[in-house]
Amino acid sequence: MLLIVGCGKMGHEILAATLRSKRHLQEPWWVRWSLIVFTVAVMTVLIVIPVICVFVNAFADGPRTYWDRIINDQETLDSIRVTLTVAPIAVIMNIIFGVSAAWLIARFKFPGRSWLIALIDLPFAVSPVVVGLMLILLFGRRGFLGPWLIEHDLKIVFAIPGMILATAFVTLPFVVRELIPVMEALGSDEEVAAVSLGANAWQLFWRVTLPNIKWGLLYGIILCNARAMGEYGAVYVVSGRIPNETDTMPIRIEKLFQNYDMPGAFAVASILTLLALVTLGVKVILERRARREMELAKQMRETGTPV
Amino acid sequence: MSIALRNLGKRFGNFVALDNINLEIPTGELVALLGPSGSGKTTLLRIISGLETPDEGDVLYFGEDVTDQSARARNVGFVFQHYALFRHMTVFENVAFGLRVRRRKKDEIKKKVLELLKLVRLDSLEGRLPAQLSGGQRQRVALARALAIEPKVLLLDEPFGALDAKVRQELRQWLRRLHDEIHVTSVFVTHDQEEAFEVADRIVVMNQGKVEQIGSPQEIFEKPASQFVFDFLGNVNVFEGHISRGQASVGSFSVDYPHYTEDQTRPAMLYVRPHEFDIDKSSNGTSSFRAVVVRAHPVGSLARVRLVSLDFETPFDAEIHIERFMELSLKAGDTVYVAPKRVRVFTAESNVPDYSI
C-alpha cells in the first residue's frame, strides 16, 4: 500500500515537471499566431469565399428566377435524373464489394493480401480521365469486348451502364477503406461466438457483423455517394455527353458555363454544393459514432469491460 | 464416457501445441484443464468444441466420432474468456440468439430465456446492454447464452480470468453449485490451481502439449505424478541432495531410498510440503535435522514458520497447528529439530517420484 502511495506521489511530480518543461518546448506566440492566421486565410480564399460565391451568383436574380432555371429546363432536370440513377447504383455496387473485400482482408490471411490492399487504393491514384479511357478501350466499339457487345446488342459505353462502371471504379476505395479498420478492431470473437451458438454465415452477417459495423459502413457510403455525384472526368469520357440522356449534373454545369449561361450554371452548381454541405454535416456525426464504435470494440475485446 | 479424445495432435508451424492426447470425460462431470500458458489447454478446449480441427486423432461424443463435424453441428455451449457478448444486443437478445438462429417459436424463446436469466440471477437486467453490466454479470450472461441451446457439453475458456479476485471467488462457487443443479458435462480451462481445486470434480494437468496427470483434486494434491505437477502446484520446499546406497540425503538428514543401492553418489531433489513437517525441541536421530526459526506467525488455525537449516543452510517453510505452535512457543532465533513426515525424491533420470515416507 505504502509503495503505491509512493508511486502516485512520484507520478504527480513527473507530471508537474513535464508541464513546466512543455512551456519551454512550445513555439513563441508570434509563430503560433502567424500559423493560425495563414491557415485561416488560405481556408477563406480557397474554400469559404468560393462556396459563398456559388450561392450568391445562383440567387443573383432572386429565388423565383433560380427556381425557374432548374424546374423549367428539361436538360437540367434530365441531368439531375441521370445523376440520381448513376450515383446510387454505383454506391450499391461499392457497398457489396466493400463489405466482402473488407471481410476478406480483415478476417483472413492469404497470399497476395497486401497486394489486394494496395490495389484497392489504385482508383485514388489513377486520373479519372484515364479510367474513362480504359473503359472505352475495353467496352468501346473497337475495344476488347466491343464486337461481342455489339453482337449481343448491349450498350455500355456512351450509355448509363458505362457511366455507372466509371463512377463505381473511381469511388471504389471509400467503403472498403472505412470498413477494414473497424472490422480489424472488432475482431472475430463475436462471430466465433455466433458460430458456436449455431448461426450460419447469412445469420452471422445480418445479426452480428452488420449491426457492429453499421456506423462505419454508413460513413463510407456517405463519402462514396458524395464523390459519386460529383464525379466528372471519368464520366465525361464514357458518357458521350448526349443531352437529356447521358449528361450528369457536373457535365450539365460545364455545358451551361460554356454557353455563357452563368446564372443557370450556378443554379445547378448550388444544388451540388448544397448536397456537399449536407454530406459534410452527416459525415461529422457519423464519423464520431464510427470512432466510438471502433474504440468500444477494442476495449470490449481487450478487457471484456467498457470504461 | 461422454467425451473421448483419442491420440489428438495439433501443430502450429513448428510449435507442437498438442502431442498425442488421450482423455476421457465422464458424463456429468466438471473437469478442469489446468496448466501454464502455452501448455495447449485452450487449443484442446477449442478442438473439443469444433472451433479448431486437430491434425491427427479423433474426438468422440457419447461414442460418436464428431472429429469432422463443425462447431455448429456439435451443439456445444462455449463460454469465451472475454465473454464475446453481442454488444449491440440486450441481455435478453444475447441469451435468445442461439434459439433465434434455430428458428424456435417466439413464446418458447421468451419462456426459455427468462428461465435461464432467473437461473443466473439476472432476471431484472434483461433489457440492459452488455456495456451496462459489470464483469461478473457479463460472465453470467455468457453462461446463460451458452446454456440456452441445451448443449450436450459446456466448455469454458478461462471463465473467470478477466474478473477481479473477489468476484472470481464468488462466481466459481456459484458455478460449482450451478453444475450440481444442471449436471451438464463441463470442461473449463484455467491456469489458476486454486480455481481448479475448488471447482472441478477432476483435474487434467497439462504441460507442453502433454497431459501430465489426470485425477481428482485430492489425488493430484496427494500424489503429484511428476516433478512438473509438484512445481506447478507450488507451495513446496525443494532440497538439493543426493542418493547413494539406498539412502536419499541432504546434509545430515537422510531417508530410505531402496530404488538406488549403488555406491556411486548421484544428485537428487527432495520435495517436502510445508504441512508435512513436525517441529520439536529435541532430536530424534537422522530422520530430523536442526534448523533455526527465522520468523513465525499464526494464520488462523495454523502457524507459518520460516526456518533455515543449520548444516545445509537452505531456507524453507513449515506449517504446524496453532496448538503445537503455542506449546513450543516458537519465536525467531529458536533452534529446533525438524522431521519431515513425507519426502518425495526426484532424480535427474526419473521425473516420477520414487519414494515417499
Side-chain angles (χ1 to χ4, degrees):
Chain A
M1 201 60 199
L2 263 173
L3 191 76
I4 297 167
V5 172
C7 281
K9 200 178 164 203
M10 217 154 71
H12 280 302
E13 276 161 14
I14 292 169
L15 189 69
T18 320
L19 282 179
R20 239 177 288 129
S21 63
K22 258 270 161 67
R23 212 174 297 150
H24 299 290
L25 286 175
Q26 271 183 356
E27 300 296 335
W29 66 270
W30 58 270
V31 175
R32 274 182 282 147
W33 277 101
S34 44
L35 274 174
I36 292 169
V37 168
F38 175 73
T39 313
V40 170
V42 170
M43 290 284 285
T44 310
V45 172
L46 284 185
I47 297 174
V48 180
I49 294 177
V51 167
I52 292 171
C53 267
V54 169
F55 288 100
V56 167
N57 276 297
F59 287 99
D61 303 328
R64 187 179 293 269
T65 341
Y66 171 80
W67 188 244
D68 269 359
R69 280 194 186 108
I70 293 167
I71 220 74
N72 291 331
D73 185 331
Q74 193 52 43
E75 280 186 42
T76 297
L77 280 180
D78 280 334
S79 77
I80 295 175
R81 182 180 50 80
V82 170
T83 292
L84 291 183
T85 311
V86 171
I89 296 176
V91 170
I92 288 167
M93 283 169 68
N94 276 336
I95 293 171
I96 296 168
F97 169 79
V99 171
S100 353
W103 191 322
L104 188 68
I105 288 166
R107 291 287 176 271
F108 302 98
K109 296 255 177 288
F110 51 92
R113 182 172 171 270
S114 49
W115 275 98
L116 183 64
I117 297 174
L119 207 63
I120 282 169
D121 278 342
L122 186 75
F124 276 161
V126 178
S127 160
V129 178
V130 177
V131 174
L133 284 176
M134 290 193 309
L135 287 173
I136 291 199
L137 283 176
L138 188 61
F139 297 112
R141 185 186 290 270
R142 290 187 199 160
F144 187 65
L145 295 172
W148 186 87
L149 289 170
I150 291 167
E151 206 174 290
H152 291 81
D153 203 23
L154 292 170
K155 208 162 157 44
I156 289 185
V157 164
F158 306 136
I160 301 286
M163 294 161 69
I164 293 171
L165 284 178
T167 309
F169 188 106
V170 172
T171 58
L172 182 118
F174 286 102
V175 177
V176 201
R177 282 269 127 200
E178 199 47 50
L179 285 186
I180 291 172
V182 176
M183 291 187 80
E184 273 175 351
L186 210 58
S188 55
D189 291 4
E190 289 184 40
E191 288 164 7
V192 173
V195 168
S196 85
L197 288 166
N200 59 34
W202 188 251
Q203 291 167 325
L204 175 71
F205 178 75
W206 287 104
R207 288 171 184 265
V208 178
T209 310
L210 189 64
N212 275 335
I213 60 169
K214 61 173 182 271
W215 296 118
L217 180 62
L218 268 177
Y219 178 56
I221 292 172
I222 287 288
L223 284 185
C224 184
N225 186 56
R227 184 77 178 78
M229 293 224 220
E231 174 50 28
Y232 178 75
V235 169
Y236 182 89
V237 178
V238 294
S239 71
R241 301 173 301 286
I242 308 160
N244 302 96
E245 268 182 50
T246 63
D247 275 356
T248 60
M249 285 166 78
I251 294 173
R252 178 71 190 145
I253 294 169
E254 163 70 5
K255 281 191 173 173
L256 288 168
F257 186 74
Q258 293 295 338
N259 294 335
Y260 303 104
D261 182 357
M262 295 303 162
F266 279 114
V268 187
S270 72
I271 298 175
L272 265 186
T273 314
L274 198 68
L275 281 173
L277 291 176
V278 170
T279 304
L280 191 74
V282 178
K283 186 193 99 117
V284 171
I285 298 166
L286 288 181
E287 199 172 25
R288 219 172 281 161
R289 295 226 170 183
R291 198 174 302 145
R292 246 183 70 84
E293 187 173 75
M294 211 162 96
E295 274 164 13
L296 196 73
K298 262 191 200 146
Q299 276 158 11
M300 292 272 287
R301 200 152 65 98
E302 279 160 14
T303 61
T305 42
V307 212
Chain B
M1 295 293 161
S2 72
I3 303 174
L5 308 176
R6 304 265 162 81
N7 311 318
L8 277 187
K10 177 76 183 175
R11 285 162 183 280
F12 296 108
N14 285 329
F15 177 71
V16 181
L18 293 175
D19 184 13
N20 195 23
I21 301 279
N22 285 286
L23 194 61
E24 297 203 319
I25 297 167
T27 308
E29 268 200 0
L30 178 51
V31 174
L33 300 179
L34 175 66
S37 57
S39 59
K41 54 195 194 306
T42 295
T43 308
L44 186 60
L45 192 76
R46 291 176 74 90
I47 287 177
I48 296 175
S49 74
L51 292 172
E52 193 90 66
T53 48
D55 295 334
E56 52 201 49
D58 306 310
V59 180
L60 283 79
Y61 280 12
F62 304 96
E64 183 198 352
D65 190 338
V66 296
T67 317
D68 298 324
Q69 280 185 14
S70 68
R72 194 173 16 232
R74 288 188 200 186
N75 200 31
V76 292
F78 201 103
V79 177
F80 295 85
Q81 188 174 3
H82 294 309
Y83 325 130
L85 294 180
F86 306 122
R87 82 203 65 188
H88 62 280
M89 293 183 202
T90 61
V91 168
F92 185 95
E93 283 305 317
N94 262 283
V95 178
F97 186 86
L99 302 171
R100 292 229 194 277
V101 298
R102 282 174 174 70
R103 307 200 181 290
R104 295 283 164 78
K105 286 200 196 86
K106 273 213 172 118
D107 46 341
E108 188 192 335
I109 292 176
K110 188 165 185 193
K111 189 167 158 258
K112 178 88 195 166
V113 172
L114 292 180
E115 188 186 303
L116 277 164
L117 286 177
K118 202 166 208 169
L119 183 71
V120 300
R121 295 178 319 197
L122 287 172
D123 30 351
S124 57
L125 302 177
E126 55 172 272
R128 297 263 188 102
L129 286 171
Q132 298 166 314
L133 300 177
S134 72
Q137 290 170 333
R138 255 178 243 180
Q139 183 57 278
R140 302 210 301 266
V141 176
L143 200 58
R145 184 177 70 174
L147 288 172
I149 59 173
E150 288 172 5
K152 286 185 267 186
V153 191
L154 182 65
L155 305 171
L156 307 101
D157 184 10
E158 299 262 1
F160 313 117
L163 301 168
D164 60 56
K166 191 172 171 291
V167 182
R168 190 154 60 203
Q169 184 76 31
E170 278 171 22
L171 263 186
R172 65 192 190 210
Q173 285 165 9
W174 173 79
L175 177 70
R176 180 66 242 185
R177 284 200 303 274
L178 184 78
H179 184 264
D180 292 340
E181 237 172 272
I182 57 176
H183 273 298
V184 57
T185 308
S186 310
V187 182
F188 77 100
V189 157
T190 181
H191 61 263
D192 180 350
Q193 47 150 322
E194 217 178 290
E195 198 168 288
F197 275 77
E198 192 174 321
V199 177
D201 295 317
R202 188 190 290 259
I203 297 173
V204 178
V205 185
M206 295 189 64
N207 180 36
Q208 296 184 338
K210 291 197 179 102
V211 172
E212 289 275 343
Q213 188 174 6
I214 305 172
S216 68
Q218 175 141 12
E219 278 164 6
I220 304 255
F221 190 77
E222 296 280 319
K223 300 185 195 105
S226 66
Q227 202 167 349
F228 169 80
V229 177
F230 229 127
D231 284 329
F232 186 71
L233 296 184
N235 200 20
V236 65
N237 298 296
V238 184
F239 300 98
E240 282 180 48
H242 52 266
I243 46 172
S244 69
R245 291 181 206 156
Q247 295 274 305
S249 42
V250 49
S252 61
F253 167 75
S254 61
V255 290
D256 288 340
Y257 186 68
H259 304 271
Y260 185 78
T261 50
E262 284 160 50
D263 287 347
Q264 198 193 354
T265 304
R266 283 161 68 178
M269 302 286 223
L270 281 69
Y271 279 65
V272 187
R273 286 220 171 91
H275 66 272
E276 292 168 338
F277 286 110
D278 267 340
I279 297 181
D280 213 329
K281 293 268 183 183
S282 60
S283 166
N284 62 350
T286 53
S287 60
S288 69
F289 57 89
R290 236 150 51 101
V292 176
V293 176
V294 178
R295 198 166 55 231
H297 61 274
V299 185
S301 63
L302 290 170
R304 229 166 253 159
V305 189
R306 179 85 171 155
L307 305 112
V308 176
S309 80
L310 279 177
D311 59 346
F312 45 91
E313 292 180 349
T314 311
F316 62 98
D317 294 303
E319 278 172 11
I320 54 173
H321 274 288
I322 193 82
E323 288 92 6
R324 182 79 182 136
F325 176 72
M326 298 299 207
E327 204 180 302
L328 293 167
S329 64
L330 287 181
K331 58 186 187 301
D334 284 358
T335 302
V336 292
Y337 289 87
V338 180
K341 289 178 280 190
R342 195 168 186 190
V343 180
R344 293 166 187 83
V345 180
F346 293 96
T347 56
E349 289 79 33
S350 78
N351 180 21
V352 177
D354 293 319
Y355 187 70
S356 44
I357 45 174

